[in-house]
Amino acid sequence: MSETLSKYLPEQAVKPVFELIVVNQVHLKIVNERVTRHGDYRKGLSGKHEITVNASLNKYKFLITLIHEISHLVAFEKFGRNIKPHGNEWKYTFQRLMIPFIRPEIFPNHLLPLLARHFKNPSASSDTDARLSLALKQFDEQNDKSHIFEIPFGSVFRIYNGKIFKKVALRTKRFECLEISSGKIYLFNPNAEVELLPS
């Protein structure tokens, strides 16, 4: 297992992550990319703790996602199954489990202040923290996608499921985009990756 983890995690994180997996009896599956989620946790019918994480994540996103999912397991075990999945008990657990990893041996220096800020009050997805998400994306493999915040207003773009939108306005932190086929307005995070279409 340690050998497998070393392909997906920063080197200094492998041993402490392996220990968390053993202590919490996690059955970890590394799976092909799912667009709608980076990972998930469930307690199987046999009582096994099953966690899946996308193989396509860069090593820093993989680490954050795996600790996020282990935090669900630990929070449910400690506080009971009736807690909210991303409520205060989970946030507390995620902070506690993640803090030992927020150090320069594991993350590049320029990510440390962004991680420290994010983990003061962690959200259900690091993708909703636009600054952290963009900083983490620089470690992804290159692709031909653009971020919503980069494209001009009036641009037409396609998202992962084939739907086509036009960027129309900024509302506080998110962008209003018009779905061409339905005429409905949807809100997009600035760091959403889209395929820009020729105008």
Side-chain angles (χ1 to χ4, degrees):
M1 177 57 115
S2 284
E3 213 173 288
T4 303
L5 286 172
S6 64
K7 295 177 196 167
Y8 296 98
L9 290 169
E11 188 183 343
Q12 297 297 316
V14 173
K15 189 171 182 282
V17 166
F18 180 68
E19 287 167 4
L20 275 176
I21 287 170
V22 171
V23 165
N24 293 290
Q25 301 176 330
V26 171
H27 179 68
L28 175 64
K29 284 187 196 165
I30 299 166
V31 298
N32 291 331
E33 182 173 14
R34 296 156 298 180
V35 176
T36 53
R37 62 181 57 177
H38 295 316
D40 65 12
Y41 159 70
R42 69 177 162 273
K43 193 166 185 177
L45 296 174
S46 64
K48 262 192 197 166
H49 297 294
E50 297 171 0
I51 288 177
T52 61
V53 181
N54 291 359
S56 58
L57 299 177
N58 71 51
K59 59 188 176 181
Y60 305 114
K61 266 196 202 160
F62 192 98
L63 172 58
I64 292 167
T65 301
L66 181 52
I67 301 300
H68 172 127
E69 300 307 337
I70 291 173
S71 300
H72 283 303
L73 182 170
V74 173
F76 283 135
E77 294 288 298
K78 183 171 183 182
F79 300 105
R81 290 260 152 196
N82 295 325
I83 61 169
K84 290 181 179 169
H86 296 109
N88 289 333
E89 297 87 352
W90 171 80
K91 287 183 183 207
Y92 164 78
T93 306
F94 194 14
Q95 284 171 326
R96 197 173 57 80
L97 292 182
M98 195 65 207
I99 283 170
F101 294 97
I102 303 174
R103 50 182 226 261
E105 301 90 338
I106 293 177
F107 286 98
N109 279 333
H110 71 282
L111 289 181
L112 295 174
L114 298 173
L115 288 161
R117 199 191 73 196
H118 179 77
F119 280 96
K120 281 182 182 164
N121 185 19
S123 55
S125 168
S126 60
D127 284 352
T128 57
D129 182 337
R131 284 179 63 195
L132 176 59
S133 177
L134 286 170
L136 288 167
K137 273 186 180 161
Q138 69 186 312
F139 300 98
D140 290 350
E141 285 183 25
Q142 291 303 306
N143 62 34
D144 57 356
K145 301 269 194 303
S146 302
H147 295 107
I148 289 267
F149 79 89
E150 299 171 312
I151 63 175
F153 287 101
S155 298
V156 176
F157 62 88
R158 182 184 291 124
I159 63 171
Y160 69 92
N161 61 9
K163 291 184 177 180
I164 296 174
F165 294 83
K166 184 180 203 173
K167 179 177 169 179
V168 292
L170 176 63
R171 187 194 294 182
T172 317
K173 290 182 180 175
R174 295 189 289 172
F175 290 95
E176 288 184 12
C177 299
L178 176 77
E179 186 186 5
I180 303 295
S181 64
S182 69
K184 288 182 183 171
I185 293 284
Y186 289 84
L187 293 177
F188 282 80
N189 282 326
N191 55 315
E193 284 191 324
V194 300
E195 179 191 347
L196 189 58
L197 299 176
S199 48

